[in-house]
Structure formats: structure tokens, C-alpha cells
Amino acid sequence: MTQMRLGRDFGWLWAAFAVSTAGTWLALDAFSLIAVTVLDSGTAQVSLLAAAGLAVGALLAVPLGPWIEFRRKRPAMIAADLVRCAALLTLPVAYVLDALGFTQLVVVSVVVAAADIVFKAASGAHLKALVPADGLLVASARFETTMWTATALGPPLGGAAISAFGPLTTVVGDALSYVLSALGVRAIRAAEPVPSGGGRGFRWAEVGAGWRYLWHHPELRGLFLNTSLVNGLIMVGAPLMAVLMLRELGFAVWQYSLAFSVPCLGGLVGSRLAPRLVRRYGALRVLRVSGIARACWPVGLAFTGPGVGGLLVVMAVEFGLIACCAVFNPVMSRERLQRTPSDRVARVLSAWSITSTTVTAVLTLAWGGLAATVGTRAALGAAGVLLLGTPLLLRAATRAESPARQRS
């Protein structure tokens, strides 16, 4: 199964994903780092930046799900790449002109967040059409492996680039990666299926179709609620850890980047194990166990201290968390695509991304206020404790099925 050949066109899609993911992780937390190191922003502003970009970007993306569903997917992906590139390039231009401000950071983060949702919805729908059903798990695992490879290499390279050339260097690299991604998508030669609905115009009645399908599908509903809440509670820690490590504990940028890059080796291990674990134990059992395991790690971030000991704590927590997520994510992605009809994939994925993004934005904003009230460390601990209850949402999603179905 792990040796399955998925074809040249999948290779181009994979290459496009790889280069844009490399750019994204090269610029790890770029907006937060710029806010802290260039604009001297505090915890509340950094959290507001992260939350506002995600929330408004998700709001703008609400009508885009049905728009993507009824149109060809590759032009939408290319447009999303070019929009992200153009938006990001405004930041270094403003910095050179000494005109960079907090408002511009927020606006750019909004545009990038909306374009991210468009790209994810279109690429997920296109993947289901491009790859046979029995290859979806392998394809998802390869994307997961690529993501964690980029996550491991990108932050230290980005930290070194920032130290050598300035805080906007990684933003330029990220912008250029989207140009290469667009070229990769453009190189795909397979004919796209005719869009569902024959390319009909936008209808407001279609906006809620993705959410309605998710809510009335018990197994998908459990996965949907679980992943949205888990992702949100994990992501609230990103701006808080930036403030805790860079400002309160005095770590250098390269140390901060190293703390989150080395543990990504756990992602390589987990993503490569996922197909084997599914063959041996079944998809639903793997989802259940890895979903429980990933919720147990983040509370450890509250115990981050100064010096080498603090770095080791962060690395240990992140390694365990990432390894479990890297097993869970490709299995979840395969289950989501298999359980969604082809004529609803873009709307379901769009609804999923919008909800996850909105939940993350709301929780990030709330945790920024909580951190300002009770302290950064206590806020991190609170998120970790709440995560311990999230596996309850997986019960409906991981009901036992026949052994043949689970191992398919």
C-alpha cells in the first residue's frame, strides 16, 4: 500500500503542496514575530492579530464554498496562490518605506486566511477526483509527511534568515513559494471533471449546504466538532508561546524556532506509520486512540521554564503532540473524503475550514484576554486541561464497523 503509485498529475499536486508548505513554515508565526519584534506589540495585540485575521478571513470565505463547488478547481487554486503572494509582498514593501503598521498586518492576515480556505477546499475536492479511492490514505499520508518535513526544516532556516537579513525575509520567501505552487498546479494535465451543477451561478441557498451535510452525518459530525475544537485549543498556544518564550523568558528567535522544528520529526514518524496502523488495527481504532493521545500533551507547555530545561520541555511536549496528530490527520482526511459525496466535497471542506478557522480565532482572542488577566502560563495550562475532554466528541465518529470496512 505504501508503495502505491498515484501518477504524474498527483506528483504535480504534491509538489505544489510541498513548495507552498515549505514557504509557510519558513515564515513560522511571521505575523506574530513582526508584531513583537518590529512593532513592539503586547500579548493582547498579538492575540488580536491572530484572531482577527482568521475570523474575518473565514467570514469572507463563507460564500466561496458553493462558488468553488460549481467551478473547476485548478483555476481557483491558482488564483488563491497568486492572491496570497500579492498580499504578502505588500509587507516588505511597506517595511522598506517605513510605513509598516499593525493595521496592515491585520488586513494581510485576513486576505491570506480567506485564500487559504479557498485553496484547501478546491485542492481537497480535486484530490478526490485525481486519486482513486484506495489511494486516498496514501496520498493524505504523503501530504502529512511533507508538511512535517517542511515544519522541521522551515523554522530554523527561517530563524537564521531573519537573524541574517531582517524580519521580513521569510515573508518574501513565503510569497514566492505561492508562485511556484501555482506553476505546479498549472502543470497538471488530467482533464478536470465537469463541476457539479454544470458551472451554474452562485446561489445563497447553497451557502449552508456543507454545514447541513456535516450536522446530519453523525460520524462526520463527531470528527468535525472534535477537530475544530482540538485545533483551536492547540493553536491558542502559538501567540502565547511566542510571548512567553521571546519576551518573558528571553529566548532568542533561533531558539524559539528550534524548539518547534526539532519535534516535527515526530510528524515524519506518525505520518509514515498511519497506513500501516490502519492495515493492522483498522481506521476507526486508529482514529480513536490517536485522537485521545494527542489531547494529553499540550498541558505540559504550562511548565516551560528558562534555559535548556525549558527548551527540552517544549520539545518533548511538541514531539508527542505532533506524532499523535500525524497519525490522526491522514486517517481523518481519508475518512472525510470517503464519507462525502463528490458533488458536495468543496462545500463540506469549505464549511469545515471556515468553522475550524472561526473557532481558532474566537479561542485565540479569548485566550489573549485570559493571558492578560491571569498570565501567559496559566492560560496555556487552561487550554491544556480543556483539551483532555475533547476525545468524548470522537465516540460517534469511531463506532465499530466491520473489520473489512475498517481496514479498507
Side-chain angles (χ1 to χ4, degrees), residues 222-232 294 328-329 332 336 352 356 393-394:
L223 282 176
F224 172 56
L225 295 175
N226 173 268
T227 55
S228 296
L229 186 56
V230 168
N231 290 344
R294 68 179 178 158
F328 181 91
N329 290 342
M332 181 276 293
R336 181 175 59 185
W352 196 298
S356 182
L393 295 169
L394 287 174

Side-chain angles (χ1 to χ4, degrees), residues 158-300:
I162 289 172
S163 298
F165 304 109
L168 275 296
T169 305
T170 58
V171 173
V172 175
D174 192 17
L176 295 180
S177 76
Y178 292 124
V179 175
L180 297 177
S181 173
L183 292 174
V185 174
R186 181 69 180 81
I188 298 173
R189 291 289 177 257
E192 283 197 63
V194 176
S196 59
R200 69 175 183 263
F202 172 79
R203 299 177 182 177
W204 279 106
E206 300 287 351
V207 168
W211 282 282
R212 287 194 297 271
Y213 184 79
L214 287 169
W215 193 253
H216 290 99
H217 193 299
E219 291 79 14
L220 279 179
R221 183 173 67 231
L223 282 176
F224 172 56
L225 295 175
N226 173 268
T227 55
S228 296
L229 186 56
V230 168
N231 290 344
L233 288 171
I234 289 174
M235 292 305 297
V236 299
L240 300 184
M241 288 300 294
V243 172
L244 177 65
M245 296 185 70
L246 296 173
R247 174 166 294 174
E248 298 179 13
L249 297 178
F251 286 101
V253 171
W254 70 267
Q255 292 174 313
Y256 171 79
S257 298
L258 189 67
F260 290 95
S261 61
V262 172
C264 294
L265 295 174
L268 303 183
V269 174
S271 59
R272 291 187 65 83
L273 281 176
R276 302 176 190 178
L277 292 173
V278 168
R279 287 200 303 274
R280 183 167 182 178
Y281 299 108
L284 301 185
R285 183 181 299 178
V286 172
L287 275 178
R288 182 168 57 251
V289 173
S290 60
I292 293 171
R294 68 179 178 158
C296 297
W297 292 95
V299 70

Side-chain angles (χ1 to χ4, degrees), residues 5 8 13 19 30 41 49 64 70 92 94 117 125 128 149 188 198 202 302 316 327 356 358 381 404:
R5 296 181 64 84
R8 173 185 177 277
L13 183 63
V19 70
S41 302
L49 171 64
L64 295 177
F70 304 129
I117 292 172
K128 185 168 183 175
T149 301
I188 298 173
F202 172 79
V327 172
S356 182
T358 302

